[in-house]
Amino acid sequence: TLDVVTTLKAGPYTVYGDTKITGLREVEEAYIRDFITWKRGKPVSRAELRAAQRQLAGTRLFDAITVEIPPEPPKDLTENETFFAPVLITAEEGKHRTISGGVSYSTADGAGVRGKWEHRNLFGQNEQFGVEADIDERRQSLGLSYTKPRYSKKTRDLVGGVEIFREEDDAFDAFGATGFLGIEEQFNPNLKGSLGIGLEAARIKENGIERDSYLFGLPATLAYDDTNSLLDPTSGVRASAAVAPWGGLFDNRETGFVIVDLHGSTYIPFDRDKNYVLALRGRSAAVFAEQRERVPANRRLYAGGGGSVRGFETRSVGPLDSDNDPTGGLTAAEISVEGRLRFGSFGVVPFVDAGLVSEELFSDFDEVRIGA
């Protein structure tokens, strides 16, 4: 039998002292101090310091950053005294500009190339500005994007962008430009939303007839995600809702419609190592408009192709014209049941997808297409 007696000495009462920041070159100190949640004289919480360090590391501005207090109080302090522990934030800035690119090939879209240039510290406070070109045989686009993090609130970003695009598809051909300005809010670690103003000017060719579209919209989104991985989830739930009222001119006549698009997916593991997972996905969408012909072809609903109803060509599920080209609809619904079975470095994914697109606002579900 062994009896162990441990003596604990609490040491002096420790509170936050002054905060010092070192190592900055191009990043403004005021931006870093906006991450400080502690106040001088309040009790020290190492969890609070670690949370601030994780947030600062997530800005992608630093190769290394630490937030710490001295490991031990001065030896001349007694447990009856108060230790004002200084907080030291030590930063090692990384490179703030990135050039990236890639090539691709798809049986749906053909060969493609993509390139992007990004600046992550445009004015010294993590402002992100990017230029991106994305070209394949079906669609070509050039876009500018801007993000101002922590805009008037620590959980709010100001986002904006413009894009010039050209698209050739069996459903329609389009050439135009879009713009967006709005805010994104992170309500909690799993829930975020956005609200903004959208503009679009486009020339759309459908069935050999060209029509001009000039739209103004107020798109809003709400998204929930508690899955365990961004790219390969094996547990959790994802759900999103997007509502976008649009109004303006189409084919020299006034038009107005509201698009509602709901998505949801869940991932259910059947073993502790999560090598056997059931994935379920669903979508329900509708365009509330007087008639389909008053909605520009690029704003109608489509289904089919990868990420939709697999086994069908892109946008081919739903109504077709006399040339078997998709015409889009006012209602869309999709459901997918997928098994993800992993065997070491290999895996098998059996699936069944089903979906429909209807010209009417409320479908009778007699045009369901199934791919497996």
Side-chain angles (χ1 to χ4, degrees), residues 307-322:
S308 179
V309 183
R310 288 165 286 186
F312 290 83
E313 293 184 10
T314 302
R315 295 176 174 170
S316 66
V317 171
L320 305 174
D321 62 16
S322 58

Side-chain angles (χ1 to χ4, degrees), residues 120-364:
R120 290 183 296 279
N121 194 43
L122 195 62
F123 303 118
Q125 295 199 0
N126 199 203
E127 299 90 350
Q128 299 152 32
F129 175 74
V131 181
E132 182 171 7
D134 194 355
I135 301 171
D136 59 42
E137 295 179 23
R138 185 181 68 86
R139 193 177 194 276
Q140 305 86 43
S141 65
L142 175 65
L144 307 177
S145 61
Y146 177 79
T147 300
K148 167 65 175 172
R150 306 170 80 87
Y151 178 72
S152 75
K153 190 178 179 182
K154 293 182 179 180
T155 57
R156 180 178 298 160
D157 295 345
L158 176 69
V159 296
V162 296
E163 181 188 55
I164 301 173
F165 65 91
R166 180 177 179 271
E167 187 170 0
E168 294 182 352
D169 190 85
D170 290 340
F172 60 86
D173 296 343
F175 174 75
T178 62
F180 176 80
L181 180 65
I183 57 173
E184 291 183 351
E185 184 90 19
Q186 190 77 42
F187 300 107
N188 60 47
N190 298 324
L191 183 65
K192 66 178 180 180
S194 68
L195 177 65
I197 299 172
L199 298 172
E200 179 178 271
R203 175 159 292 178
I204 301 165
K205 184 178 180 180
E206 185 182 15
N207 294 326
I209 301 174
E210 291 187 345
R211 298 180 177 91
D212 292 332
S213 173
Y214 303 95
L215 299 178
F216 170 83
L218 297 172
T221 64
L222 189 66
Y224 176 84
D225 188 345
D226 71 349
T227 57
N228 62 340
S229 171
L230 178 65
L231 300 179
D232 185 23
T234 54
S235 64
V237 173
R238 287 177 180 166
S240 66
V243 179
W246 291 95
L249 295 175
F250 176 53
D251 196 21
N252 296 318
R253 293 170 55 194
E254 290 185 1
T255 188
F257 51 92
V258 179
I259 303 175
V260 179
D261 206 338
L262 309 176
H263 288 257
S265 61
T266 185
Y267 308 88
I268 305 170
F270 286 94
D271 65 312
R272 184 169 56 184
D273 295 330
K274 300 179 180 179
N275 288 321
Y276 306 97
V277 177
L278 177 66
L280 306 174
R281 181 186 66 85
R283 177 199 180 201
S284 178
V287 180
F288 295 89
E290 291 184 5
Q291 53 183 339
R292 189 190 64 165
E293 286 67 25
R294 297 310 305 147
V295 179
N298 64 327
R299 292 292 172 180
R300 298 174 196 160
L301 300 176
Y302 299 89
S308 179
V309 183
R310 288 165 286 186
F312 290 83
E313 293 184 10
T314 302
R315 295 176 174 170
S316 66
V317 171
L320 305 174
D321 62 16
S322 58
D323 295 324
N324 284 328
D325 292 331
T327 59
L330 299 183
T331 303
E334 300 172 11
I335 188 170
S336 176
V337 180
E338 179 175 289
R340 300 179 178 182
L341 316 178
R342 193 181 301 274
F343 309 97
S345 300
F346 299 90
V348 173
V349 185
F351 67 86
V352 177
D353 295 344
L356 66 85
V357 174
S358 174
E359 296 180 353
E360 306 298 329
L361 186 56
F362 298 101
S363 173
D364 55 8

